[in-house]
Amino acid sequence: MTDTPFSKLIAMTDRYGGLSFENYSLIRSLAERLRAGFCQYLSADDGECVYLVPPTGGFAAQAHGSAAFSVSGTGFLPLAPISFGLAVRVSIKSDWLRVVFMCEVDGGQLRVHMEGGDSFELPVDLTDEAIQPLFAPLYRHIYDWFHHRVDQFEQGSYGSNDIGFEIINLPDEN
């Protein structure tokens, strides 16, 4: 192929596509490891305690696959930060809370921001051990949200009407 403007454009879009897939794969790997690891961290008896869900809009407490990521359905995979939701069961029955994560690669680090919570920097060569420091802050983030509202109620103040999390109650399947 000759060195034409079109061939240069094709080479650049190929590079873009490769990097965007690498970006998505890294963030998806983080999300999958976070889902599995956090469920183990919670020590739920049935193992049905965490799902990857879309970061916005309605969701069901089930595996959403690639639809759990903000780039789902965009056609050409963008080279941009990616968000995903983590649905965590917060009751014995079927109450689920969504925590949204925004992730981006910056240099040699993967920056992870928990909406309304902490931010973390992880190595891009992810391991299960590398994500373990996220579990306790994620748990504390969820626990503290409920604890704060309980304290407000017990002190005679509901506080604001801002719920901060999206909690859904699913009908009991039994």
Side-chain angles (χ1 to χ4, degrees), residues 8-34:
K8 289 178 184 177
L9 177 61
I10 297 303
M12 183 52 65
T13 58
D14 285 349
R15 183 172 177 208
Y16 179 99
L19 290 172
S20 63
F21 182 74
E22 185 179 310
N23 182 59
Y24 172 75
S25 296
L26 175 63
I27 294 169
R28 181 153 185 171
S29 176
L30 165 71
E32 293 287 353
R33 290 170 189 256
L34 185 58

Side-chain angles (χ1 to χ4, degrees), residues 4 28 33 45 47 61 65 67 124 129 137 146 153 162:
T4 65
R28 181 153 185 171
R33 290 170 189 256
D45 294 337
V124 292
E129 294 76 31
F146 286 102
F153 177 77
D162 180 28

Side-chain angles (χ1 to χ4, degrees), residues 101-122:
F101 289 83
M102 171 65 80
C103 307
E104 65 180 326
V105 177
D106 186 10
Q109 298 290 315
L110 175 59
R111 291 192 179 173
V112 179
H113 175 72
M114 188 174 10
E115 189 174 272
D118 295 334
S119 294
F120 307 88
E121 287 192 6
L122 304 174

Side-chain angles (χ1 to χ4, degrees), residues 31-50:
E32 293 287 353
R33 290 170 189 256
L34 185 58
R35 179 202 53 78
F38 192 60
C39 195
Q40 287 179 337
Y41 178 87
L42 291 174
S43 301
D45 294 337
D46 59 8
E48 296 287 324
C49 57
V50 182

